[in-house]
Amino acid sequence: MTQQEMLETIVKALDSKRAEDIKVLRVNDLTILGDYFIIANGTSTTHTRTLADEVEYQLSQKGKEPTHREGRGNGSNWVVLDYSDIIVHIFYKETRNFYQLERLWADGEPVDISAWTKQEGC
């Protein structure tokens, strides 16, 4: 599975469960942590956990498992799924506003994901 296919699968999984404000940043020139960060948020801690579960499920169906996970406990405000070159950050809305990863990684290159998400009202 290529990076592009993984990115598409993750974005579609998040979108299918109504993740809010999905962003993909290409950060390979800025850090050794990974090539891409995917940032999204849920509307509650339960929604946040559901989003992470869906990403894991969709990728596991294609033979990809995270090398590391954080924040899977009850009441978790931030779940991180590490797929080595793609790091998925799923926040509770207020936690995302607090940490502002997009601002921290503002030098990252935004990736156009419009082809992978449903249009509003559809």
Side-chain angles (χ1 to χ4, degrees):
M1 173 173 250
T2 67
Q3 273 188 337
Q4 264 324 96
E5 292 168 334
M6 281 186 70
L7 290 170
E8 181 177 356
T9 299
I10 294 166
V11 168
K12 285 182 174 181
L14 291 169
D15 190 54
S16 75
K17 294 295 182 183
R18 299 186 182 269
E20 294 182 337
D21 198 17
I22 304 167
K23 304 281 187 215
V24 177
L25 298 175
R26 187 171 167 261
V27 295
N28 65 328
D29 293 335
L30 305 173
T31 181
I32 61 169
L33 296 175
D35 293 340
Y36 293 91
F37 284 173
I38 298 177
I39 305 166
N41 66 269
T43 57
S44 67
T45 55
T46 302
H47 188 211
T48 300
R49 199 168 49 251
T50 300
L51 293 169
D53 289 345
E54 185 65 14
V55 168
E56 278 198 76
Y57 174 76
Q58 292 299 326
L59 286 178
S60 71
Q61 292 297 301
K62 297 180 180 202
K64 292 289 184 181
E65 300 295 331
T67 57
H68 190 74
R69 328 173 163 82
E70 284 292 327
R72 295 303 298 254
N74 288 336
S76 181
N77 292 329
W78 186 357
V79 177
V80 177
L81 302 173
D82 182 349
Y83 288 94
S84 296
D85 50 350
I86 299 173
I87 314 288
V88 184
H89 300 270
I90 305 169
F91 291 95
Y92 178 56
K93 189 178 231 171
E94 284 75 20
T95 306
R96 182 176 183 173
N97 291 337
F98 179 78
Y99 285 103
Q100 298 182 6
L101 281 189
E102 293 95 331
R103 197 176 92 204
L104 181 64
W105 295 99
D107 290 338
E109 177 186 335
V111 175
D112 180 10
I113 61 169
S114 60
W116 303 332
T117 58
K118 295 177 185 145
Q119 300 302 316
E120 287 296 318
C122 293

